[in-house]
Amino acid sequence: MAGFALFTVVPVVMALGQSLFTTKSSGLGFGGSEVTFSGFDNFARVFTDGVFWESMLRVGVYAAIVVPLTQIVSLALALLVDAVTRRVANRFRLALLVPYMVPGIVATMIWIYLYSPAVGPFQPLFELLGLDVNFFSGEMIWVSIGNLHIWGTIGFNMLILYGSLQSVPRELFDAARVDGASELRVALSIKIPFLRTSLVLTGLLSIIGTLQIFAEPMLFRSVSPETITKDFTPAMVIYNQAFQVGNLNYAAALSIILAAVVGIASAVIYRFTNKVNQ
């Protein structure tokens, strides 16, 4: 509770307080600055900021595709790992978890190298097959980022789902098999229903992380600036306002709105995916 209050509640309160003020500079920015109370003017500006909402829509569409794919792949891997012996499962769990343990910046740099048309290992294969694939083009950039996101996330989600599967009584599986149920039927009728709570948890975590995506597109911008603009995602809009434009007050208001959108999206998803059977 102390850690949550210090690193979450306090920063939110500080950002909310800062968003209620406006800093004005005189003398074309060379003079002194004056901080004045502006109330909710910054929030009113957010709601009319087309650039911010365009980036929000862009990331929302991306999340609508990537999050379900991540869930499906993680669930499939968890079911496959659960189907093998415990000794083999331990080896697969570690191998699948390694990408999650790689820091996001490092992982992005690795994949930028792999995607590179000049030195990447994929390019000779594409040339051999007669394919012209540019992972940094406007048509492929979201695919490239999405592949990186799924690669780095499925291990964590798989581990949560696999841990939940271990709590399911094995007698249920044996009884179903005795009654003639196939492995596919056991997975669909017994295993997956028991994973409902864990699927909601991993889904919410994926949505929260995806809507706040920053590191990946920021690094991809260095190799594809014509495709990824400085306002490509909501987090990048906030970063640009805070550290490029220097408008920390407006950036704080944008952060509060982004947090509110993420919270509302999470609440809606939780409401419709965690219904308790009566």
Side-chain angles (χ1 to χ4, degrees):
M1 291 299 295
F4 178 76
L6 180 61
F7 297 108
T8 302
V9 177
V10 172
V12 169
V13 173
M14 293 176 63
L16 182 59
Q18 192 171 35
S19 67
L20 300 178
F21 293 86
T22 300
T23 303
K24 297 182 179 180
S25 300
S26 59
L28 298 178
F30 295 101
S33 58
E34 180 183 2
V35 179
T36 59
F37 180 78
S38 58
F40 293 100
D41 289 351
N42 286 321
F43 290 99
R45 179 184 170 187
V46 172
F47 288 108
T48 59
D49 190 340
V51 173
F52 175 75
W53 292 109
E54 182 181 351
S55 69
M56 186 70 75
L57 177 62
R58 187 182 296 118
V59 172
V61 174
Y62 167 75
I65 298 173
V66 169
V67 172
L69 283 176
T70 303
Q71 290 289 83
I72 292 172
V73 175
S74 301
L75 176 60
L77 290 174
L79 292 173
L80 289 174
V81 172
D82 184 68
V84 300
T85 62
R86 186 175 296 274
R87 183 175 180 179
V88 176
N90 290 336
R91 297 175 181 175
F92 275 101
R93 281 189 306 170
L94 179 61
L96 292 171
L97 192 61
V98 167
Y100 174 75
M101 295 186 291
V102 177
I105 299 294
V106 176
T108 304
M109 295 178 65
I110 291 173
W111 278 96
I112 287 177
Y113 163 75
L114 295 175
Y115 289 147
S116 173
V119 297
F122 296 145
Q123 196 61 31
L125 176 61
F126 293 141
E127 293 178 354
L128 182 63
L129 298 176
L131 300 176
D132 182 17
V133 179
N134 183 2
F135 288 103
F136 303 134
S137 65
E139 297 78 13
M140 289 291 295
I141 195 66
W142 274 123
V143 176
S144 303
I145 296 176
N147 175 67
L148 167 60
H149 176 88
I150 294 174
W151 174 82
T153 307
I154 56 174
F156 175 76
N157 290 356
M158 177 277 303
L159 194 63
I160 293 179
L161 298 176
Y162 175 74
S164 296
L165 281 173
Q166 299 308 296
S167 65
V168 182
R170 300 283 125 175
E171 294 80 6
L172 293 178
F173 305 153
D174 296 334
R177 295 187 182 102
V178 169
D179 289 340
S182 64
E183 291 300 322
L184 178 61
R185 175 55 59 187
V186 171
L188 295 176
S189 300
I190 301 178
K191 293 184 178 181
I192 293 180
F194 269 96
L195 294 177
R196 185 173 190 171
T197 302
S198 297
L199 285 170
V200 173
L201 172 63
T202 54
L204 289 177
L205 293 176
S206 296
I207 291 171
I208 292 171
T210 303
L211 292 180
Q212 299 180 85
I213 185 171
F214 175 76
E216 294 85 351
M218 180 61 76
L219 285 179
F220 270 87
R221 176 168 162 73
S222 64
V223 295
S224 184
E226 69 282 356
T227 301
I228 300 182
T229 64
K230 65 181 184 302
D231 301 318
F232 196 67
T233 69
M236 292 176 68
V237 175
I238 295 170
Y239 175 85
N240 181 61
Q241 286 293 327
F243 301 107
Q244 302 298 325
V245 179
N247 193 345
L248 292 175
N249 303 108
Y250 184 56
L254 288 170
S255 300
I256 296 297
I257 295 298
L258 176 59
V261 171
V262 172
I264 292 172
S266 301
V268 170
I269 296 298
Y270 181 81
R271 175 67 178 81
F272 287 99
T273 59
N274 198 43
K275 295 180 179 179
V276 179
N277 295 327
Q278 301 294 332

